[in-house]
């Protein structure tokens, strides 16, 4: 398959949102030499070579460094703005011809410590949570399906194309501290993912959700990263997997991670 003169190679193309955040940055840093990455960010940028920045040797600025042989394709976007999801999808497809792995990682998280009925703070923040945490993942998945995946079942299966939605344990548990809206939006994302898995199975694209506990406070970022890799390399679909506790292997993220003890969250 070719698009814009580029022929698909062995490296999978990954589109990740929230690329400047903790998990997004970790994904880009650990895997930019393994995946062709479209890194969508709004503010901070991941610490990797991109089309705008690259590593240099301060003692030999003209030297070619092997770290720059791969570059992340950086896209700045506020995905909540009208038309931005479509712009990102169009640019990703123009650059790489396809997307094999969509990681919906961007999130809005605001806690309302005084509860839902203390003034209008929570009411005014409802749309922010549900648009960023539910509508944007849905729109990205839908546009990629419409523009890339729906009529390409054979290639979808061959390249093991899939979506990983990053949810939270709060989507299935109740925590104190004013997390009602955030938790409700993540619960909606969990169930939306199950429905997407059923529909997208018809054209050979998998959809799964990982639901980590608070990271890095209670779950190492490396464990969350490894869970994404496990799901991408597996064949499961329609699952929502809890990610909790320490990293069992004690290893850093690598290209060949050990199997993780993920716990499916029931419907």
């Amino acid at each position: 398959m070719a698009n814009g003169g580029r022929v698909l190679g062995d490296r999978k193309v990954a589109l990740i949102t929230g690329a400047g955040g903790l998990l997004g940055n970790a994904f880009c840093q650990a895997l930019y030499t393994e995946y062709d990455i479209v890194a969508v960010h709004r503010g901070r940028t991941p610490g990797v070579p991109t089309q705008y920045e690259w590593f240099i040797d301060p003692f030999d600025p003209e030297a070619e460094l092997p770290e720059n042989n791969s570059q992340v394709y950086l896209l700045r976007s506020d995905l909540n703005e009208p038309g931005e999801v479509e712009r990102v999808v169009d640019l990703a497809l123009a650059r790489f011809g396809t997307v094999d792995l969509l990681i919906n990682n961007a999130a809005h998280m605001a806690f309302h410590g005084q509860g839902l009925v203390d003034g209008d703070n929570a009411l005014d923040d409802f749309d922010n949570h549900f648009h960023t945490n539910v509508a944007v993942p849905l729109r990205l998945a839908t546009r990629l399906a419409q523009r890339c995946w729906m009529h390409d079942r054979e290639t979808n299966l061959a390249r093991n194309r899939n979506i990983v939605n990053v949810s939270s344990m709060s989507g299935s548990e109740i925590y104190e501290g004013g997390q009602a809206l955030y938790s409700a939006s993540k619960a909606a994302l969990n169930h939306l993912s199950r429905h997407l898995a059923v529909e997208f199975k018809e054209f050979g694209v998998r959809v799964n959700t990982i639901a980590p506990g608070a990271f890095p406070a209670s779950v190492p970022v490396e464990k969350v990263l490894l869970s994404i890799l496990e799901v991408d390399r597996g064949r499961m679909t329609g699952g929502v997997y809890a990610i909790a506790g320490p990293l069992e292997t004690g290893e850093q993220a690598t290209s060949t991670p050990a199997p993780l003890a993920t716990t499916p969250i029931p419907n």
Side-chain angles (χ1 to χ4, degrees):
M1 178 188 294
N3 188 303
R6 180 184 176 89
V7 179
L8 291 181
D10 293 333
R11 295 199 342 173
K12 294 185 72 173
V13 179
L15 190 159
I16 183 169
T17 64
L22 193 62
L23 179 59
N25 182 62
F27 181 90
C28 292
Q29 287 186 333
L31 296 164
Y32 80 98
T33 61
E34 180 177 344
Y35 291 80
D36 287 324
I37 298 177
V38 180
V40 184
H41 72 105
R42 188 171 64 175
R44 292 172 297 180
T45 60
V48 291
T50 70
Q51 71 270 38
Y52 303 117
E53 298 179 304
W54 48 88
F55 296 121
I56 64 169
D57 182 346
F59 299 104
D60 187 4
E62 301 301 320
E64 295 186 4
L65 301 181
E67 292 87 345
N68 296 324
N69 290 340
S70 294
Q71 290 187 341
V72 166
Y73 184 48
L74 199 63
L75 292 179
R76 184 169 184 172
S77 176
D78 182 349
L79 293 170
N80 290 303
E81 291 296 319
E84 278 298 287
V85 165
E86 287 75 14
R87 183 180 73 90
V88 164
V89 169
D90 287 345
L91 288 172
L93 295 181
R95 175 67 179 86
F96 293 111
T98 191
V99 171
D100 301 305
L101 168 62
L102 169 62
I103 305 170
N104 283 308
N105 173 57
H108 177 74
M109 180 173 64
F111 297 162
H112 305 94
Q114 302 303 313
L116 296 173
V117 295
D118 183 26
D120 290 343
N121 287 338
L123 296 177
D124 292 342
D125 204 20
F126 179 90
D127 288 345
N128 294 330
H129 276 98
F130 276 80
H131 196 275
T132 303
N133 300 348
V134 186
V136 166
L138 170 62
R139 198 170 192 88
L140 277 166
T142 299
R143 292 306 187 212
L144 280 172
Q146 292 170 336
R147 299 181 183 183
C148 181
W149 295 335
M150 282 182 65
H151 306 294
D152 201 13
R153 176 180 171 82
E154 183 177 342
T155 308
N156 295 339
L157 292 171
R159 294 181 69 86
N160 199 24
R161 287 172 175 155
N162 71 112
I163 298 170
V164 178
N165 291 323
V166 181
S167 185
S168 168
M169 287 290 291
S170 63
S172 58
E173 304 289 341
I174 297 176
Y175 297 105
E176 297 181 354
Q179 299 189 39
L181 293 183
Y182 176 71
S183 298
S185 69
K186 290 301 188 179
L189 178 62
N190 292 350
H191 208 50
L192 172 66
S193 299
R194 295 181 175 111
H195 280 273
L196 287 173
V198 172
E199 293 197 18
F200 284 24
K201 187 176 182 179
E202 295 184 7
F203 45 87
V205 173
R206 300 179 297 111
V207 184
N208 290 282
T209 301
I210 60 168
F215 61 90
S218 62
V219 181
V221 177
E222 292 83 1
K223 181 167 185 177
V224 184
L225 176 58
L226 284 170
S227 70
I228 293 174
L229 292 178
E230 181 184 15
V231 171
D232 182 41
R233 293 164 182 172
R235 293 290 177 178
M236 66 284 280
T237 193
V240 179
Y241 300 98
I243 313 297
L247 186 63
E248 289 85 353
T249 65
E251 298 173 356
Q252 299 296 313
T254 68
S255 60
T256 54
L260 295 178
T262 53
T263 304
I265 297 175
N267 293 352

